[in-house]
Amino acid sequence: MTPPVKENDLIYVQVEPLKSIVTETFKLRGCSSKEASRIAERLSGANLRGHDSHGVIRVSRYVDYLREGKQIANVTAEIITETDILAVIDGKFGFGQTVGEQAVDIGIKKAKASGIAITALQNAGHLGRIGDWAERAAAADLVSIHMVNVRGSLMVAPFGGIDRRMSTSPFCAGIPLNDGDDPIILDMATSVVAEGKALVALKGGKPLPEDAIVTETGAITGDPKPLYGDTKQGEFPHPSNGSGALRTFGNHKGSGLNFLMEMMAGALTGSGCAGTVNEPQRRFCNGMFSMYFSPDAFGHSENSFVSEVKAYVEFLKSSRPTEVDGEVLIPGEKEKQVMVERLKSGLPLAPEAWEDILKTAQEAGLKQSNIDSILNSQ
Ligand code: NAD
């Protein structure tokens, strides 16, 4: 296995050794082996697909969450209300990688039995890349829709506003192609970018779009600094320190969709919205409202759903590209392209992000000699 390589101011780390270091870090911090490897798998999987914002850059923040009791190791989610097609599930602040998986599996089981199902997950730890959950449902041949909010994470200003009143609230849907092809996955924050992408930009990675941030005076900028404020030497940048805000995508339309996420994932699930006037600082968690549909329940003859989807994809992609060398992509296609590249090149990390991962591993008790042997021997 190639050890980390420095190129164009980035460190390229192969996914397997990176997963081992992250797994060992969380084991040393009290997670079971299974939970630690789930966290490592999901975080590195986000990097593999190009969503660095939801990848291993989160390791030190997750460790902080554990230490502060914001997230709890080795939790089993609990069904608190249920019918044949509905489950309201309490994630009890367990790791999203664990309680998210458990909630999705409940939804899959019910949809397999009844054709459709809804799960309302409350109080989940950070659920990471929501596409993971649509992919899990698609692997069981189910269409799924996931609406997510982030309680206690005021990061986004509503359209026309300056002050943070919203979270980055992702929307996600998965369409299975049960003929062996990869599912189609739409997975997007309702802010111009996910917060972690601002963190990646702050740490020297890919710059933000010019309309991503609104400053405290109402100016619009692509500079991530107003979101984080000043970070003291040795401290990890935190968006709660900034006076600016992320903006919603698509102006009033994205703002409206974000509002809907708060209604479904925050209010309807019982998880709670991003904040209230009386309680602007709520305890951090993800809420997730998910719907699962079996195409079979809609009376499709064998494979007629998949053939219609594929015929439409072919039609859509036949639109002439605006750029000379451009290509019209369907949701999830970009991620697949990035994954092919990164499985070869390794995961590109800003040096500061890589150092942060190593420091977090060492602080958890992983010896430098162990890190070296992981990096050089796999
Ligand atoms: P993004 O903007 O990179 O992609 C959004 C969607 O657009 C994807 O489905 C992608 O396949 C598609 N896409 C990208 N380029 C395209 C192109 N050229 N043509 C057509 N489609 C294209 O993603 P994002 O909004 O920055 O979200 C990043 C991640 O952050 C997601 O995985 C999301 O689930 C996650 N997130 C999680 C939380 C949480 O609280 N757990 C909060 C916010 C975001």
Side-chain angles (χ1 to χ4, degrees), residues 75-81 86-107 117-128 130 133 145-151 261-273 284-292:
V75 164
T76 302
E78 189 184 330
I79 297 180
I80 49 178
T81 301
L86 170 71
V88 180
I89 303 157
D90 187 353
K92 301 193 286 189
F93 302 97
F95 270 87
Q97 289 75 10
T98 295
V99 297
E101 194 170 293
Q102 290 165 353
V104 171
D105 288 350
I106 292 167
I118 289 175
T119 55
L121 174 62
Q122 43 176 261
N123 303 325
H126 188 243
L127 288 162
I130 306 305
W133 313 122
I145 296 177
H146 309 267
M147 298 178 173
V148 175
N149 84 323
V150 204
R151 192 183 79 195
M261 301 298 118
E262 291 294 346
M263 297 299 98
M264 306 304 283
L268 192 58
T269 61
S271 196
C273 295
F284 172 87
C285 72
N286 269 147
M288 180 161 76
F289 180 84
S290 303
M291 295 172 267
Y292 303 86

Short mmCIF file of all heavy atoms in Angstrom, two decimals, residues 75-81 86-107 117-128 130 133 145-151 261-273 284-292:
data_model
loop_
_atom_site.label_atom_id
_atom_site.label_comp_id
_atom_site.label_asym_id
_atom_site.label_seq_id
_atom_site.Cartn_x
_atom_site.Cartn_y
_atom_site.Cartn_z
N VAL A 75 -24.83 3.08 21.59
CA VAL A 75 -26.26 3.23 21.93
C VAL A 75 -27.10 2.35 21.01
O VAL A 75 -26.79 2.17 19.84
CB VAL A 75 -26.68 4.72 21.77
CG1 VAL A 75 -28.18 4.87 21.72
CG2 VAL A 75 -26.08 5.56 22.89
N THR A 76 -28.18 1.79 21.56
CA THR A 76 -29.17 1.11 20.72
C THR A 76 -30.40 2.01 20.64
O THR A 76 -30.96 2.39 21.68
CB THR A 76 -29.56 -0.25 21.32
OG1 THR A 76 -28.37 -1.02 21.46
CG2 THR A 76 -30.54 -1.00 20.42
N ALA A 77 -30.81 2.35 19.42
CA ALA A 77 -31.99 3.21 19.24
C ALA A 77 -33.24 2.47 19.72
O ALA A 77 -33.29 1.24 19.68
CB ALA A 77 -32.13 3.57 17.76
N GLU A 78 -34.23 3.26 20.16
CA GLU A 78 -35.42 2.63 20.76
C GLU A 78 -36.69 3.08 20.02
O GLU A 78 -36.88 4.29 19.79
CB GLU A 78 -35.48 3.10 22.21
CG GLU A 78 -36.50 2.39 23.04
CD GLU A 78 -36.54 2.99 24.45
OE1 GLU A 78 -35.51 3.50 24.94
OE2 GLU A 78 -37.64 2.98 25.04
N ILE A 79 -37.53 2.11 19.66
CA ILE A 79 -38.81 2.47 19.03
C ILE A 79 -39.73 2.96 20.13
O ILE A 79 -39.98 2.24 21.11
CB ILE A 79 -39.43 1.25 18.31
CG1 ILE A 79 -38.51 0.79 17.17
CG2 ILE A 79 -40.83 1.60 17.77
CD1 ILE A 79 -38.98 -0.40 16.38
N ILE A 80 -40.29 4.19 19.98
CA ILE A 80 -41.16 4.69 21.04
C ILE A 80 -42.64 4.68 20.63
O ILE A 80 -43.51 4.71 21.49
CB ILE A 80 -40.72 6.08 21.56
CG1 ILE A 80 -40.47 7.07 20.42
CG2 ILE A 80 -39.48 5.98 22.40
CD1 ILE A 80 -40.08 8.45 20.91
N THR A 81 -42.93 4.66 19.35
CA THR A 81 -44.30 4.52 18.85
C THR A 81 -44.22 3.75 17.55
O THR A 81 -43.31 4.01 16.75
CB THR A 81 -44.91 5.90 18.52
OG1 THR A 81 -44.90 6.70 19.69
CG2 THR A 81 -46.34 5.78 18.03
N LEU A 86 -45.26 2.63 10.40
CA LEU A 86 -44.63 3.81 11.01
C LEU A 86 -43.83 3.43 12.25
O LEU A 86 -44.29 2.61 13.05
CB LEU A 86 -45.73 4.81 11.42
CG LEU A 86 -45.28 6.00 12.29
CD1 LEU A 86 -44.43 6.99 11.50
CD2 LEU A 86 -46.49 6.73 12.90
N ALA A 87 -42.67 4.02 12.38
CA ALA A 87 -41.92 3.88 13.64
C ALA A 87 -41.35 5.24 14.01
O ALA A 87 -40.72 5.90 13.18
CB ALA A 87 -40.80 2.86 13.51
N VAL A 88 -41.62 5.66 15.24
CA VAL A 88 -40.95 6.84 15.80
C VAL A 88 -39.83 6.28 16.67
O VAL A 88 -40.06 5.44 17.55
CB VAL A 88 -41.92 7.71 16.62
CG1 VAL A 88 -41.18 8.93 17.18
CG2 VAL A 88 -43.10 8.15 15.77
N ILE A 89 -38.61 6.72 16.38
CA ILE A 89 -37.43 6.07 16.97
C ILE A 89 -36.59 7.12 17.71
O ILE A 89 -36.28 8.18 17.16
CB ILE A 89 -36.57 5.42 15.86
CG1 ILE A 89 -37.42 4.41 15.07
CG2 ILE A 89 -35.33 4.75 16.43
CD1 ILE A 89 -36.88 4.13 13.67
N ASP A 90 -36.21 6.79 18.94
CA ASP A 90 -35.34 7.69 19.71
C ASP A 90 -33.89 7.22 19.55
O ASP A 90 -33.55 6.10 19.96
CB ASP A 90 -35.76 7.64 21.19
CG ASP A 90 -35.02 8.68 22.03
OD1 ASP A 90 -34.09 9.34 21.49
OD2 ASP A 90 -35.37 8.84 23.22
N GLY A 91 -33.07 8.09 18.97
CA GLY A 91 -31.65 7.73 18.77
C GLY A 91 -30.81 7.93 20.02
O GLY A 91 -29.63 7.58 20.02
N LYS A 92 -31.40 8.50 21.07
CA LYS A 92 -30.77 8.66 22.38
C LYS A 92 -29.34 9.22 22.30
O LYS A 92 -28.47 8.81 23.05
CB LYS A 92 -30.81 7.34 23.14
CG LYS A 92 -32.24 6.83 23.35
CD LYS A 92 -32.34 5.70 24.35
CE LYS A 92 -31.86 4.42 23.81
NZ LYS A 92 -32.12 3.26 24.67
N PHE A 93 -29.09 10.10 21.32
CA PHE A 93 -27.81 10.78 21.15
C PHE A 93 -26.65 9.81 20.87
O PHE A 93 -25.49 10.13 21.10
CB PHE A 93 -27.51 11.70 22.35
CG PHE A 93 -28.58 12.73 22.55
CD1 PHE A 93 -29.61 12.53 23.47
CD2 PHE A 93 -28.61 13.86 21.76
CE1 PHE A 93 -30.64 13.46 23.62
CE2 PHE A 93 -29.63 14.80 21.89
CZ PHE A 93 -30.64 14.60 22.83
N GLY A 94 -27.02 8.60 20.37
CA GLY A 94 -25.96 7.68 19.94
C GLY A 94 -25.33 8.17 18.65
O GLY A 94 -25.86 9.08 17.98
N PHE A 95 -24.20 7.61 18.28
CA PHE A 95 -23.56 7.96 17.01
C PHE A 95 -24.54 7.76 15.87
O PHE A 95 -25.19 6.71 15.78
CB PHE A 95 -22.30 7.10 16.79
CG PHE A 95 -21.08 7.73 17.36
CD1 PHE A 95 -20.74 7.52 18.69
CD2 PHE A 95 -20.28 8.56 16.59
CE1 PHE A 95 -19.62 8.12 19.24
CE2 PHE A 95 -19.16 9.18 17.13
CZ PHE A 95 -18.83 8.96 18.45
N GLY A 96 -24.63 8.75 14.98
CA GLY A 96 -25.53 8.65 13.83
C GLY A 96 -25.21 7.43 12.98
O GLY A 96 -26.11 6.79 12.41
N GLN A 97 -23.92 7.09 12.90
CA GLN A 97 -23.52 5.94 12.08
C GLN A 97 -24.14 4.66 12.63
O GLN A 97 -24.34 3.69 11.89
CB GLN A 97 -21.98 5.80 12.07
CG GLN A 97 -21.28 6.88 11.26
CD GLN A 97 -21.22 8.23 11.94
OE1 GLN A 97 -21.55 8.37 13.13
NE2 GLN A 97 -20.80 9.24 11.21
N THR A 98 -24.46 4.63 13.92
CA THR A 98 -25.07 3.45 14.53
C THR A 98 -26.60 3.58 14.55
O THR A 98 -27.30 2.72 13.99
CB THR A 98 -24.55 3.29 15.99
OG1 THR A 98 -23.16 3.02 15.92
CG2 THR A 98 -25.26 2.18 16.73
N VAL A 99 -27.13 4.65 15.13
CA VAL A 99 -28.59 4.73 15.28
C VAL A 99 -29.26 5.04 13.94
O VAL A 99 -30.40 4.64 13.70
CB VAL A 99 -29.01 5.73 16.38
CG1 VAL A 99 -28.51 5.26 17.73
CG2 VAL A 99 -28.57 7.16 16.10
N GLY A 100 -28.53 5.70 13.03
CA GLY A 100 -29.06 5.94 11.68
C GLY A 100 -29.27 4.61 10.98
O GLY A 100 -30.32 4.34 10.37
N GLU A 101 -28.25 3.76 11.07
CA GLU A 101 -28.32 2.44 10.43
C GLU A 101 -29.48 1.62 11.03
O GLU A 101 -30.24 0.98 10.30
CB GLU A 101 -26.99 1.73 10.67
CG GLU A 101 -26.78 0.51 9.81
CD GLU A 101 -25.34 0.00 9.92
OE1 GLU A 101 -24.42 0.69 9.47
OE2 GLU A 101 -25.16 -1.10 10.47
N GLN A 102 -29.62 1.69 12.36
CA GLN A 102 -30.71 0.92 13.00
C GLN A 102 -32.07 1.44 12.54
O GLN A 102 -32.98 0.65 12.24
CB GLN A 102 -30.58 1.03 14.53
CG GLN A 102 -29.36 0.27 15.07
CD GLN A 102 -28.99 0.65 16.50
OE1 GLN A 102 -29.55 1.58 17.09
NE2 GLN A 102 -28.03 -0.07 17.07
N ALA A 103 -32.22 2.76 12.45
CA ALA A 103 -33.52 3.34 12.04
C ALA A 103 -33.84 2.95 10.60
O ALA A 103 -34.98 2.59 10.28
CB ALA A 103 -33.47 4.86 12.18
N VAL A 104 -32.83 3.02 9.74
CA VAL A 104 -33.07 2.67 8.33
C VAL A 104 -33.46 1.19 8.22
O VAL A 104 -34.37 0.82 7.47
CB VAL A 104 -31.82 3.00 7.47
CG1 VAL A 104 -31.96 2.44 6.06
CG2 VAL A 104 -31.60 4.50 7.42
N ASP A 105 -32.82 0.36 9.01
CA ASP A 105 -33.16 -1.08 8.95
C ASP A 105 -34.59 -1.34 9.42
O ASP A 105 -35.26 -2.24 8.89
CB ASP A 105 -32.14 -1.90 9.76
CG ASP A 105 -30.79 -1.96 9.04
OD1 ASP A 105 -30.72 -1.54 7.86
OD2 ASP A 105 -29.81 -2.42 9.66
N ILE A 106 -35.07 -0.53 10.36
CA ILE A 106 -36.48 -0.66 10.79
C ILE A 106 -37.39 -0.27 9.63
O ILE A 106 -38.37 -0.95 9.32
CB ILE A 106 -36.74 0.23 12.04
CG1 ILE A 106 -35.99 -0.33 13.25
CG2 ILE A 106 -38.25 0.34 12.34
CD1 ILE A 106 -35.92 0.62 14.45
N GLY A 107 -37.06 0.83 8.95
CA GLY A 107 -37.85 1.28 7.80
C GLY A 107 -37.85 0.23 6.69
O GLY A 107 -38.90 -0.05 6.08
N ALA A 117 -43.30 2.54 4.11
CA ALA A 117 -43.07 2.77 5.54
C ALA A 117 -42.53 4.17 5.77
O ALA A 117 -41.97 4.78 4.85
CB ALA A 117 -42.06 1.74 6.09
N ILE A 118 -42.74 4.65 6.99
CA ILE A 118 -42.18 5.94 7.41
C ILE A 118 -41.44 5.72 8.73
O ILE A 118 -41.96 5.03 9.62
CB ILE A 118 -43.30 6.99 7.61
CG1 ILE A 118 -43.88 7.38 6.23
CG2 ILE A 118 -42.80 8.22 8.35
CD1 ILE A 118 -45.07 8.31 6.29
N THR A 119 -40.23 6.29 8.82
CA THR A 119 -39.57 6.31 10.13
C THR A 119 -39.29 7.76 10.51
O THR A 119 -38.97 8.58 9.66
CB THR A 119 -38.23 5.52 10.13
OG1 THR A 119 -37.40 6.02 9.09
CG2 THR A 119 -38.45 4.03 9.95
N ALA A 120 -39.47 8.04 11.78
CA ALA A 120 -39.20 9.38 12.32
C ALA A 120 -38.14 9.21 13.39
O ALA A 120 -38.42 8.73 14.48
CB ALA A 120 -40.48 9.97 12.91
N LEU A 121 -36.91 9.55 13.04
CA LEU A 121 -35.79 9.37 13.98
C LEU A 121 -35.51 10.69 14.70
O LEU A 121 -35.30 11.72 14.07
CB LEU A 121 -34.54 8.91 13.20
CG LEU A 121 -33.23 8.80 13.97
CD1 LEU A 121 -33.31 7.76 15.10
CD2 LEU A 121 -32.07 8.44 13.02
N GLN A 122 -35.55 10.64 16.02
CA GLN A 122 -35.24 11.85 16.80
C GLN A 122 -33.97 11.64 17.62
O GLN A 122 -33.56 10.50 17.86
CB GLN A 122 -36.43 12.21 17.72
CG GLN A 122 -37.07 11.03 18.44
CD GLN A 122 -38.16 11.44 19.40
OE1 GLN A 122 -37.91 11.53 20.60
NE2 GLN A 122 -39.36 11.70 18.89
N ASN A 123 -33.34 12.73 18.01
CA ASN A 123 -32.17 12.69 18.91
C ASN A 123 -31.04 11.78 18.41
O ASN A 123 -30.45 11.03 19.18
CB ASN A 123 -32.58 12.22 20.32
CG ASN A 123 -33.66 13.10 20.92
OD1 ASN A 123 -33.66 14.31 20.68
ND2 ASN A 123 -34.58 12.51 21.66
N ALA A 124 -30.76 11.86 17.11
CA ALA A 124 -29.63 11.06 16.58
C ALA A 124 -28.36 11.89 16.66
O ALA A 124 -28.39 13.11 16.44
CB ALA A 124 -29.90 10.67 15.13
N GLY A 125 -27.24 11.24 16.94
CA GLY A 125 -25.95 11.91 16.77
C GLY A 125 -25.78 12.22 15.29
O GLY A 125 -26.62 11.84 14.46
N HIS A 126 -24.69 12.89 14.95
CA HIS A 126 -24.51 13.35 13.56
C HIS A 126 -24.62 12.18 12.57
O HIS A 126 -23.89 11.20 12.66
CB HIS A 126 -23.13 14.02 13.45
CG HIS A 126 -22.92 14.69 12.14
ND1 HIS A 126 -21.95 14.29 11.26
CD2 HIS A 126 -23.59 15.71 11.56
CE1 HIS A 126 -22.01 15.07 10.18
NE2 HIS A 126 -22.99 15.94 10.35
N LEU A 127 -25.57 12.31 11.64
CA LEU A 127 -25.87 11.21 10.71
C LEU A 127 -24.94 11.19 9.51
O LEU A 127 -25.09 10.34 8.63
CB LEU A 127 -27.33 11.29 10.24
CG LEU A 127 -28.39 10.91 11.30
CD1 LEU A 127 -29.75 11.44 10.90
CD2 LEU A 127 -28.43 9.42 11.52
N GLY A 128 -24.01 12.13 9.44
CA GLY A 128 -23.00 12.11 8.38
C GLY A 128 -23.59 12.38 7.02
O GLY A 128 -24.48 13.22 6.85
N ILE A 130 -25.96 11.79 4.26
CA ILE A 130 -27.29 11.17 4.28
C ILE A 130 -27.45 10.16 3.12
O ILE A 130 -28.22 9.21 3.21
CB ILE A 130 -28.40 12.25 4.28
CG1 ILE A 130 -28.16 13.25 5.44
CG2 ILE A 130 -29.78 11.62 4.41
CD1 ILE A 130 -28.04 12.63 6.83
N TRP A 133 -27.78 6.50 3.78
CA TRP A 133 -29.03 5.87 4.22
C TRP A 133 -29.92 5.54 3.02
O TRP A 133 -30.58 4.50 2.98
CB TRP A 133 -29.74 6.75 5.26
CG TRP A 133 -28.75 7.20 6.30
CD1 TRP A 133 -28.42 8.47 6.66
CD2 TRP A 133 -27.87 6.35 7.07
NE1 TRP A 133 -27.42 8.48 7.58
CE2 TRP A 133 -27.05 7.20 7.86
CE3 TRP A 133 -27.68 4.97 7.17
CZ2 TRP A 133 -26.08 6.70 8.73
CZ3 TRP A 133 -26.70 4.48 8.03
CH2 TRP A 133 -25.93 5.33 8.80
N ILE A 145 -36.86 8.47 0.62
CA ILE A 145 -36.71 9.94 0.71
C ILE A 145 -36.37 10.26 2.16
O ILE A 145 -37.00 9.72 3.07
CB ILE A 145 -38.02 10.66 0.30
CG1 ILE A 145 -38.32 10.37 -1.18
CG2 ILE A 145 -37.93 12.17 0.55
CD1 ILE A 145 -39.62 10.96 -1.68
N HIS A 146 -35.37 11.10 2.35
CA HIS A 146 -34.92 11.43 3.72
C HIS A 146 -34.86 12.95 3.88
O HIS A 146 -34.21 13.63 3.07
CB HIS A 146 -33.55 10.82 3.99
CG HIS A 146 -33.49 9.35 3.67
ND1 HIS A 146 -33.73 8.37 4.60
CD2 HIS A 146 -33.28 8.72 2.49
CE1 HIS A 146 -33.65 7.19 4.00
NE2 HIS A 146 -33.38 7.37 2.72
N MET A 147 -35.54 13.43 4.90
CA MET A 147 -35.50 14.86 5.21
C MET A 147 -34.86 15.00 6.59
O MET A 147 -35.30 14.34 7.53
CB MET A 147 -36.92 15.42 5.26
CG MET A 147 -37.65 15.29 3.94
SD MET A 147 -39.32 15.92 4.13
CE MET A 147 -39.86 15.86 2.45
N VAL A 148 -33.85 15.85 6.66
CA VAL A 148 -33.02 15.89 7.88
C VAL A 148 -32.89 17.33 8.37
O VAL A 148 -32.73 18.25 7.55
CB VAL A 148 -31.62 15.30 7.58
CG1 VAL A 148 -30.68 15.43 8.77
CG2 VAL A 148 -31.73 13.83 7.16
N ASN A 149 -32.96 17.53 9.69
CA ASN A 149 -32.59 18.84 10.23
C ASN A 149 -31.51 18.66 11.29
O ASN A 149 -31.19 17.52 11.67
CB ASN A 149 -33.81 19.59 10.81
CG ASN A 149 -34.11 19.18 12.24
OD1 ASN A 149 -33.96 18.01 12.62
ND2 ASN A 149 -34.54 20.12 13.06
N VAL A 150 -30.92 19.76 11.70
CA VAL A 150 -29.88 19.68 12.73
C VAL A 150 -30.28 20.60 13.87
O VAL A 150 -30.11 21.82 13.80
CB VAL A 150 -28.50 20.11 12.17
CG1 VAL A 150 -27.39 19.49 13.02
CG2 VAL A 150 -28.31 19.75 10.72
N ARG A 151 -30.85 20.00 14.92
CA ARG A 151 -31.25 20.79 16.07
C ARG A 151 -30.00 21.32 16.76
O ARG A 151 -28.98 20.63 16.82
CB ARG A 151 -32.05 19.90 17.05
CG ARG A 151 -32.75 20.69 18.12
CD ARG A 151 -33.45 19.76 19.09
NE ARG A 151 -32.50 19.21 20.04
CZ ARG A 151 -32.77 18.16 20.82
NH1 ARG A 151 -33.92 17.54 20.74
NH2 ARG A 151 -31.88 17.72 21.66
N MET A 261 -37.78 21.02 5.87
CA MET A 261 -36.96 20.05 6.62
C MET A 261 -37.19 20.23 8.13
O MET A 261 -37.30 19.28 8.87
CB MET A 261 -35.45 20.21 6.34
CG MET A 261 -35.03 20.06 4.91
SD MET A 261 -35.36 18.47 4.19
CE MET A 261 -36.44 18.98 2.93
N GLU A 262 -37.24 21.51 8.56
CA GLU A 262 -37.47 21.78 9.98
C GLU A 262 -38.85 21.25 10.41
O GLU A 262 -39.00 20.73 11.52
CB GLU A 262 -37.37 23.28 10.28
CG GLU A 262 -35.97 23.87 10.15
CD GLU A 262 -34.98 23.33 11.19
OE1 GLU A 262 -35.40 22.70 12.18
OE2 GLU A 262 -33.77 23.53 10.98
N MET A 263 -39.83 21.41 9.51
CA MET A 263 -41.19 20.95 9.84
C MET A 263 -41.24 19.42 9.98
O MET A 263 -41.82 18.89 10.92
CB MET A 263 -42.19 21.40 8.76
CG MET A 263 -42.35 22.90 8.62
SD MET A 263 -42.96 23.68 10.14
CE MET A 263 -41.46 24.29 10.88
N MET A 264 -40.64 18.72 9.01
CA MET A 264 -40.75 17.27 8.97
C MET A 264 -39.76 16.58 9.92
O MET A 264 -40.14 15.72 10.71
CB MET A 264 -40.52 16.75 7.54
CG MET A 264 -41.39 17.38 6.48
SD MET A 264 -43.16 17.22 6.84
CE MET A 264 -43.45 15.52 6.40
N ALA A 265 -38.47 16.97 9.79
CA ALA A 265 -37.43 16.28 10.57
C ALA A 265 -37.33 16.83 11.99
O ALA A 265 -36.91 16.12 12.90
CB ALA A 265 -36.09 16.44 9.87
N GLY A 266 -37.71 18.11 12.15
CA GLY A 266 -37.63 18.72 13.48
C GLY A 266 -38.93 18.61 14.24
O GLY A 266 -39.01 17.96 15.28
N ALA A 267 -40.01 19.23 13.67
CA ALA A 267 -41.28 19.30 14.41
C ALA A 267 -42.03 17.96 14.39
O ALA A 267 -42.42 17.43 15.44
CB ALA A 267 -42.15 20.41 13.83
N LEU A 268 -42.22 17.36 13.18
CA LEU A 268 -43.07 16.15 13.11
C LEU A 268 -42.42 14.93 13.78
O LEU A 268 -43.11 14.14 14.43
CB LEU A 268 -43.41 15.84 11.64
CG LEU A 268 -44.50 14.80 11.41
CD1 LEU A 268 -45.82 15.19 12.07
CD2 LEU A 268 -44.73 14.57 9.91
N THR A 269 -41.12 14.76 13.64
CA THR A 269 -40.48 13.59 14.28
C THR A 269 -40.47 13.72 15.80
O THR A 269 -40.29 12.74 16.51
CB THR A 269 -38.99 13.45 13.87
OG1 THR A 269 -38.30 14.64 14.30
CG2 THR A 269 -38.80 13.23 12.38
N GLY A 270 -40.61 14.95 16.31
CA GLY A 270 -40.51 15.17 17.76
C GLY A 270 -39.07 15.47 18.17
O GLY A 270 -38.77 15.63 19.36
N SER A 271 -38.18 15.56 17.20
CA SER A 271 -36.76 15.79 17.52
C SER A 271 -36.51 17.25 17.89
O SER A 271 -35.60 17.54 18.65
CB SER A 271 -35.90 15.41 16.31
OG SER A 271 -34.55 15.27 16.67
N GLY A 272 -37.34 18.13 17.37
CA GLY A 272 -37.19 19.56 17.67
C GLY A 272 -36.50 20.29 16.53
O GLY A 272 -35.61 19.75 15.87
N CYS A 273 -36.93 21.54 16.31
CA CYS A 273 -36.37 22.36 15.23
C CYS A 273 -35.01 22.93 15.66
O CYS A 273 -34.59 22.77 16.80
CB CYS A 273 -37.34 23.50 14.87
SG CYS A 273 -38.88 22.87 14.18
N PHE A 284 -27.47 19.59 20.53
CA PHE A 284 -27.23 19.19 19.15
C PHE A 284 -27.75 17.77 18.86
O PHE A 284 -27.51 16.85 19.64
CB PHE A 284 -25.72 19.23 18.87
CG PHE A 284 -25.33 18.67 17.53
CD1 PHE A 284 -25.32 19.48 16.41
CD2 PHE A 284 -24.99 17.33 17.39
CE1 PHE A 284 -24.97 18.96 15.17
CE2 PHE A 284 -24.64 16.81 16.15
CZ PHE A 284 -24.64 17.62 15.05
N CYS A 285 -28.46 17.62 17.76
CA CYS A 285 -28.80 16.28 17.24
C CYS A 285 -29.32 16.41 15.82
O CYS A 285 -29.69 17.50 15.38
CB CYS A 285 -29.84 15.57 18.11
SG CYS A 285 -31.49 16.25 17.97
N ASN A 286 -29.33 15.32 15.10
CA ASN A 286 -30.03 15.25 13.81
C ASN A 286 -31.40 14.64 14.03
O ASN A 286 -31.56 13.70 14.83
CB ASN A 286 -29.29 14.33 12.82
CG ASN A 286 -28.27 15.03 11.94
OD1 ASN A 286 -27.25 14.46 11.59
ND2 ASN A 286 -28.53 16.27 11.56
N GLY A 287 -32.42 15.17 13.34
CA GLY A 287 -33.72 14.50 13.21
C GLY A 287 -33.80 14.02 11.77
O GLY A 287 -33.28 14.69 10.87
N MET A 288 -34.44 12.88 11.55
CA MET A 288 -34.55 12.40 10.16
C MET A 288 -35.92 11.77 9.93
O MET A 288 -36.29 10.80 10.59
CB MET A 288 -33.45 11.39 9.83
CG MET A 288 -33.55 10.87 8.38
SD MET A 288 -32.01 10.11 7.77
CE MET A 288 -32.04 8.53 8.62
N PHE A 289 -36.65 12.37 8.98
CA PHE A 289 -37.96 11.85 8.57
C PHE A 289 -37.72 11.09 7.26
O PHE A 289 -37.27 11.67 6.28
CB PHE A 289 -38.92 13.03 8.35
CG PHE A 289 -40.29 12.62 7.91
CD1 PHE A 289 -41.25 12.24 8.84
CD2 PHE A 289 -40.62 12.59 6.56
CE1 PHE A 289 -42.52 11.86 8.44
CE2 PHE A 289 -41.89 12.21 6.15
CZ PHE A 289 -42.84 11.84 7.09
N SER A 290 -37.99 9.79 7.27
CA SER A 290 -37.68 8.96 6.09
C SER A 290 -38.92 8.24 5.59
O SER A 290 -39.74 7.76 6.39
CB SER A 290 -36.62 7.91 6.42
OG SER A 290 -35.45 8.51 6.90
N MET A 291 -39.03 8.14 4.27
CA MET A 291 -40.13 7.39 3.64
C MET A 291 -39.53 6.32 2.75
O MET A 291 -38.55 6.58 2.04
CB MET A 291 -40.98 8.32 2.79
CG MET A 291 -41.69 9.39 3.60
SD MET A 291 -42.48 10.60 2.52
CE MET A 291 -41.21 11.82 2.41
N TYR A 292 -40.10 5.14 2.78
CA TYR A 292 -39.59 4.00 2.01
C TYR A 292 -40.73 3.45 1.15
O TYR A 292 -41.86 3.29 1.63
CB TYR A 292 -39.10 2.89 2.94
CG TYR A 292 -38.04 3.37 3.91
CD1 TYR A 292 -38.40 3.96 5.14
CD2 TYR A 292 -36.69 3.26 3.61
CE1 TYR A 292 -37.43 4.42 6.02
CE2 TYR A 292 -35.72 3.71 4.50
CZ TYR A 292 -36.10 4.29 5.69
OH TYR A 292 -35.14 4.75 6.56
#
